[in-house]
Amino acid sequence: MTDRWQPSERYPDPSIVALDPSFRQYHLALSAVERLWTGSRWGEGPVWLGDTRCLLWSDIPNNRVLKWDETTGAVSEWQKPSNNANGHTRDRQGRIIACEHAGRRILRFEYDGSTTVLADSYQGKRLNSPNDVICKSDGSIWFTDPPFGTYAFYEGIKLEAELPHTNVYRIDGQTGALTCVADDVDHPNGLAFSPDESILYIIESRSSPRNILAFDCAGTTLSNRRVFYECGPSETPDGFRVDIDGNLWCGWGMTPELDGVRVINKAGLPIGHIHLPERCANLTFGGRHRNRLFMSAAQSLFALYVNTQGVAGASPLTFRPAVTLLQHLHRHLQAQALGRQHIPPIGDQLLVG
């Protein structure tokens, strides 16, 4: 039970396990898993905002996006309602990109707090329920579109999906054109590029067994579909990120022995595991040096310092002032939630946890 979980009182933390000797270089012996907050129904889609030292992540069934403040440790509701938002990322200009289950669309938050719909349909049919999203260095946005948000009135709106459950899409960074880059992935879930962007990894979450697929990526197209990692019985990968050495840090479950984060090297060998008391749905690297792993689990947010760094995203030099961005966004979202035309004062609703 998560309410009985306690952090390790000694180093090294026994919940961090090397499955191969090569993992030891990434394990900081004087670091331990921390639970930063608990109180969600299904945590997902974390994104780190280094310029404001905070983390955003989704609580999909509760229809909200939460914010954890690094300087105070406080957690607040950043967006409610969120249209059952799932995955988040930042584009090359530092703007937040969100996958909406209920909205069935990819949304971009602008600097002034307004929003722009980047994609909501393909060939005249509505998207299913966009799940996870990443940005490439050319400015393009890649996302998966399984129908998970259409299955029940819990993580979205129950309805009949209009598009296949196999599609992965790309939004061109210059023209905004939407293209289907893969149509043969059974319920695609998390996705990420290798450090040099030559490989796109995608979770195939309803194949039997479940797989992590790899595709060669050349510009705008994918080729050479192959199984990068074949999961064993009960192994359930979800969202993941890649570090600078090409290792995949994957949200993992779904048994007490498997719940946590599985680390797989670029050769497809599992090298490490971080045990958590809950299934980990997704994760991201953050902190000043991108060396703190933030893990959004079912009901809690966990963190661990590691001896590697997540692959860098947009250059901070291209960002507009993020305080202005977040202030505008929060005020705009509060006004929307309250049905007001004017913008209310800045201030988050603090949550106890």
Side-chain angles (χ1 to χ4, degrees):
M1 297 292 293
T2 60
D3 57 348
R4 298 176 184 171
W5 181 84
Q6 294 294 327
S8 175
E9 295 181 348
R10 59 177 297 275
Y11 295 128
D13 186 341
S15 66
I16 306 165
V17 177
L19 304 178
D20 183 85
S22 61
F23 181 68
R24 294 172 186 158
Q25 63 184 304
Y26 304 114
H27 177 199
L28 293 171
L30 302 183
S31 68
V33 174
E34 306 166 74
R35 184 164 65 183
L36 303 179
W37 184 82
T38 189
S40 60
R41 282 200 169 97
W42 182 246
E44 257 282 10
V47 59
W48 174 252
L49 309 180
D51 32 6
T52 51
R53 298 181 64 183
C54 72
L55 181 91
L56 303 181
W57 83 104
S58 301
D59 182 3
I60 303 176
N62 282 326
N63 199 21
R64 61 183 178 173
V65 175
L66 300 170
K67 182 182 83 171
W68 175 79
D69 189 304
E70 184 183 39
T71 60
T72 66
V75 170
S76 58
E77 287 183 339
W78 182 75
Q79 182 191 17
K80 185 179 177 71
S82 66
N83 274 333
N84 301 109
N86 188 340
H88 292 87
T89 192
R90 300 183 84 175
D91 68 9
R92 292 290 153 166
Q93 290 73 45
R95 296 168 295 191
I96 298 168
I97 308 295
C99 296
E100 290 188 352
H101 278 190
R104 303 167 70 187
R105 61 187 183 177
I106 300 294
L107 199 70
R108 183 176 69 206
F109 292 89
E110 306 295 350
Y111 298 121
D112 63 359
S114 62
T115 57
T116 300
V117 177
L118 300 181
D120 61 5
S121 61
Y122 178 69
Q123 296 182 343
K125 297 179 179 180
R126 290 296 307 276
L127 296 176
N128 296 327
S129 55
N131 184 281
D132 208 352
V133 61
I134 54 175
C135 291
K136 201 164 179 273
S137 60
D138 63 1
S140 59
I141 297 168
W142 302 60
F143 67 95
T144 56
D145 187 39
F148 298 142
T150 69
Y151 289 158
F153 295 108
Y154 187 63
E155 294 186 62
I157 304 297
K158 187 176 182 179
L159 50 80
E160 290 294 325
E162 300 176 35
L163 288 165
H165 58 265
T166 56
N167 290 0
V168 180
Y169 298 97
R170 176 187 183 272
I171 303 171
D172 190 87
Q174 301 300 317
T175 67
L178 180 68
T179 55
C180 180
V181 292
D183 61 2
D184 57 354
V185 183
D186 191 354
H187 289 72
N189 200 323
L191 74 170
F193 284 106
S194 61
D196 64 1
E197 299 183 337
S198 65
I199 300 173
L200 178 65
Y201 300 103
I202 304 173
I203 301 295
E204 187 173 41
S205 60
R206 288 296 184 271
S207 60
S208 182
R210 294 179 173 89
N211 293 316
I212 301 176
L213 303 178
F215 294 81
D216 293 336
C217 182
T220 64
T221 60
L222 301 179
S223 62
N224 190 24
R225 180 192 193 276
R226 58 199 181 274
V227 175
F228 169 75
Y229 182 84
E230 182 178 296
C231 295
S234 301
E235 289 187 329
T236 305
D238 204 327
F240 67 101
R241 288 294 179 264
V242 177
D243 69 20
I244 56 176
D245 290 336
N247 300 303
L248 281 62
W249 298 68
C250 308
W252 213 255
M254 298 177 53
T255 67
E257 296 76 24
L258 294 174
D259 287 344
V261 173
R262 179 61 54 90
V263 185
I264 302 170
N265 69 15
K266 60 185 178 181
L269 175 70
I271 61 172
H273 194 87
I274 302 165
H275 289 278
L276 297 177
E278 311 168 30
R279 177 183 168 186
C280 180
N282 211 331
L283 51 83
T284 195
F285 289 95
R288 174 64 182 85
H289 302 288
R290 306 190 314 279
N291 67 329
R292 195 175 190 186
L293 188 69
F294 292 95
M295 300 163 278
S296 56
Q299 300 173 42
S300 305
L301 177 67
F302 296 91
L304 173 69
Y305 283 100
V306 294
N307 194 26
T308 187
Q309 295 176 291
V311 174
S315 167
L317 297 177
T318 67
F319 290 178
R320 291 278 297 276
V323 172
T324 302
L325 170 62
L326 286 195
Q327 286 177 340
H328 274 295
L329 286 176
H330 185 79
R331 294 165 73 187
H332 183 79
L333 293 169
Q334 280 190 323
Q336 281 186 329
L338 296 173
R340 296 176 180 172
Q341 297 302 313
H342 69 281
I343 298 177
I346 297 170
D348 294 316
Q349 178 183 347
L350 294 180
L351 303 175
V352 177

